[in-house]
């Protein structure tokens, strides 16, 4: 009889948290954010993972993935990852199914680390001790005072030396306001802080080139999704004409997506979201693809889901300290990290796995399923 630890249960929960103010970027507005939690169990040991996705993601886990994971070895996470990807063949992997797989994959890695009594970064193997972060928010719905208050909070209170704001308001129809907001951001943070912008695919190609060149005067060094990441040729052409580094990849749900983006020369820095691309298993592979081409990788949003795996890759640029997700993760989980000094140090306190535990008392009022 084998003593191999196996996954005995897979459970889900859904939490919806209202924003603390109206929020929008260049192409979307929202008033709440939903976190789908996956929990996997082996005896008394539990692993948790999550994604930011519609509540239907929990149904995908319950109906399509749980049965593929139950009874499998809790130590062989890549095998479970492959089984889950095959299980959603007819449902369609990109989108909600990939996010569901990501939540379970993260939970499985968390479980394995708990079984071994190790912080996840120690299980994966650290390539760096500290993970640089950049403050991210600066929504187009913010007035000047809100924008300045948020930026100064990151720079002056948490000593984060790089920040990002949203531009391309209303699908690029407010170009002059975009430029004014960037100028105000630069004034608020001073000359020594890196300033990034994110258009969320809201501009046309020639407009993006015009804006990118104009923002050079404000010292903007990072231009995220100047046009839709579906248009790889346009991204590459824009990158050749603007002084900023062009970044994209947050909507990558499969490994071939990242290979196509890299092969097209579309980005100067690849973004990947561990809660969308299939979890830690696939995120590490995307990082390896980028490294093979001499390209850095940046973790998109969900900072506490990324922290340990980000520290495990040698070509990490940084991790997005996204306002909404930082707020939610601090609210729902105990064990949240601090970015003081501009970086976080996963595993520093020796807690196993991700170092997170669900605070059921705080979380309960936000639970919707």
């Amino acid at each position: 009889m084998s003593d191999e630890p196996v996954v005995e249960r897979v459970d889900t929960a859904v939490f919806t948290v209202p924003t603390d103010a109206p929020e929008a970027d260049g192409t979307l507005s929202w008033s709440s954010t939903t976190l789908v939690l996956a929990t996997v169990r082996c005896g008394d040991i539990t692993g948790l993972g999550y994604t930011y996705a519609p509540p239907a993601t929990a149904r995908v886990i319950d109906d399509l993935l749980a049965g593929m994971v139950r009874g499998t070895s809790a130590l062989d996470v890549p095998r479970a990852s492959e089984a889950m990807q095959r299980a959603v063949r007819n449902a369609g992997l990109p989108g909600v199914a990939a996010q569901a797989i990501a939540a379970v994959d993260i939970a499985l890695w968390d479980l394995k680390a708990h079984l071994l009594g190790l912080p996840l970064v120690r299980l994966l193997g650290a390539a760096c001790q500290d993970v640089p972060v950049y403050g991210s928010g600066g929504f187009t719905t913010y007035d000047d005072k809100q924008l300045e208050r948020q930026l100064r909070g990151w720079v002056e209170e948490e000593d984060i030396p790089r920040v990002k704001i949203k531009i391309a308001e209303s699908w690029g129809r407010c170009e002059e306001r975009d430029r004014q907001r960037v100028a105000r951001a630069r004034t608020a943070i001073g000359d020594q802080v890196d300033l990034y912008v994110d258009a969320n695919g809201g501009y046309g190609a020639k407009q993006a080139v015009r804006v990118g060149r104009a923002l050079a005067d404000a010292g903007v060094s990072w231009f995220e999704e100047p046009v839709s990441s579906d248009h790889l040729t346009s991204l590459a052409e824009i990158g050749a004409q603007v002084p900023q580094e062009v970044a994209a990849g947050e909507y990558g749900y499969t490994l071939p997506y990242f290979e196509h983006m890299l092969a097209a020369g579309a980005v100067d820095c690849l973004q990947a979201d561990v809660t969308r691309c299939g979890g830690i298993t696939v995120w590490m592979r995307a990082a390896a693809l980028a490294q093979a081409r001499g390209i850095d990788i940046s973790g998109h949003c969900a900072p506490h889901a990324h922290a340990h795996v980000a520290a495990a890759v040698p070509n990490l640029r940084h991790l997005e300290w996204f306002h909404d997700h930082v707020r939610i993760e601090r609210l729902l989980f105990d064990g949240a990290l601090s970015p003081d000094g501009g970086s976080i140090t996963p595993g520093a306190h020796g807690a196993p796995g991700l170092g997170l535990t669900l605070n059921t008392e705080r979380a309960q009022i936000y639970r919707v399923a």
Side-chain angles (χ1 to χ4, degrees):
M1 184 174 180
S2 174
D3 292 329
E4 181 89 354
V6 298
V7 178
E8 298 169 5
R9 288 185 57 185
V10 181
D11 298 310
T12 59
V14 181
F15 305 90
T16 296
V17 180
T19 59
D20 55 2
E23 294 180 357
D25 55 33
T27 58
L28 190 68
S29 61
W30 61 94
S31 59
S32 64
T33 300
T34 296
L35 181 148
V36 178
L37 180 73
T39 304
V40 293
R41 303 180 189 277
C42 175
D44 295 331
I45 308 298
T46 299
L48 67 81
Y50 59 92
T51 183
Y52 292 98
T57 309
R59 283 290 305 274
V60 175
I61 295 173
D62 296 338
D63 294 350
L64 298 179
L65 305 183
M68 303 303 299
V69 173
R70 283 193 301 268
T72 64
S73 169
L75 301 180
D76 296 332
V77 183
R79 181 182 296 175
S81 172
E82 289 299 306
M84 289 190 290
Q85 293 191 49
R86 292 172 183 173
V88 301
R89 186 198 69 181
N90 289 349
L93 176 57
V96 168
Q99 292 173 293
I101 292 171
V104 178
D105 182 88
I106 295 167
L108 289 169
W109 280 106
D110 188 45
L111 175 65
K112 181 176 179 178
H114 273 85
L115 287 168
L116 298 176
L118 294 171
L120 181 55
V121 67
R122 301 299 300 165
L123 172 61
L124 299 174
C128 59
Q129 179 177 348
D130 298 319
V131 174
V133 301
Y134 66 89
S136 173
F139 304 109
T140 59
T141 43
Y142 282 3
D143 61 28
D144 294 347
K145 289 183 178 179
Q146 286 175 296
L147 179 63
E148 181 175 348
R149 183 166 57 249
Q150 187 179 68
L151 294 173
R152 288 187 180 276
W154 288 321
V155 173
E156 297 176 3
E157 296 173 17
E158 297 182 299
D159 200 25
I160 298 176
R162 53 197 81 84
V163 297
K164 185 177 80 179
I165 70 169
K166 301 291 190 180
I167 59 171
E169 181 180 353
S170 301
W171 288 90
R173 289 192 288 269
C174 302
E175 189 176 320
E176 182 57 33
R177 183 169 187 258
D178 290 338
R179 297 184 189 185
Q180 291 173 357
R181 293 179 66 251
V182 170
R184 291 191 183 100
R186 173 54 72 193
T187 299
I189 64 177
D191 295 332
Q192 303 305 310
V193 175
D194 291 336
L195 179 57
Y196 302 166
V197 296
D198 183 358
N200 287 100
Y203 291 134
K206 290 186 176 181
Q207 184 184 23
V209 172
R210 181 173 66 247
V211 171
R213 290 173 175 172
L215 297 186
D217 291 340
V220 173
S221 58
W222 168 283
F223 198 170
E224 187 173 327
E225 262 204 306
V227 297
S228 170
S229 54
D230 291 334
H231 306 313
L232 300 182
T233 300
S234 291
L235 280 175
E237 291 173 350
I238 292 165
Q241 298 180 67
V242 300
Q244 297 86 14
E245 289 187 288
V246 169
E250 66 187 72
Y251 300 111
Y253 294 105
T254 67
L255 194 62
Y257 173 98
F258 298 112
E259 169 56 21
H260 297 156
M261 179 167 278
L262 291 164
V267 293
D268 299 298
C269 184
L270 181 69
Q271 293 177 289
D273 188 325
V274 74
T275 73
R276 289 176 177 168
C277 73
I280 289 168
T281 301
V282 178
W283 199 94
M284 289 191 293
R285 294 170 183 169
L289 288 177
Q291 185 185 11
R293 296 178 181 269
I295 299 290
D296 286 346
I297 189 168
S298 178
H300 172 264
C301 289
H304 291 88
H306 280 94
H308 292 256
V309 69
V313 299
N315 57 325
L316 175 74
R317 175 73 63 87
H318 43 41
L319 175 56
E320 184 170 14
W321 197 250
F322 182 56
H323 171 71
D324 284 4
H325 295 178
V326 169
R327 177 172 164 263
I328 290 170
E329 289 163 17
R330 285 173 169 170
L331 177 66
L332 299 184
F333 302 118
D334 293 327
L337 300 169
S338 170
D340 293 340
S343 64
I344 54 177
T345 307
H349 301 297
L354 295 170
L356 301 176
T357 56
L358 181 69
N359 186 307
T360 54
E361 184 176 352
R362 290 200 305 265
Q364 187 59 38
I365 63 173
Y366 301 104
R367 184 166 183 175
V368 296

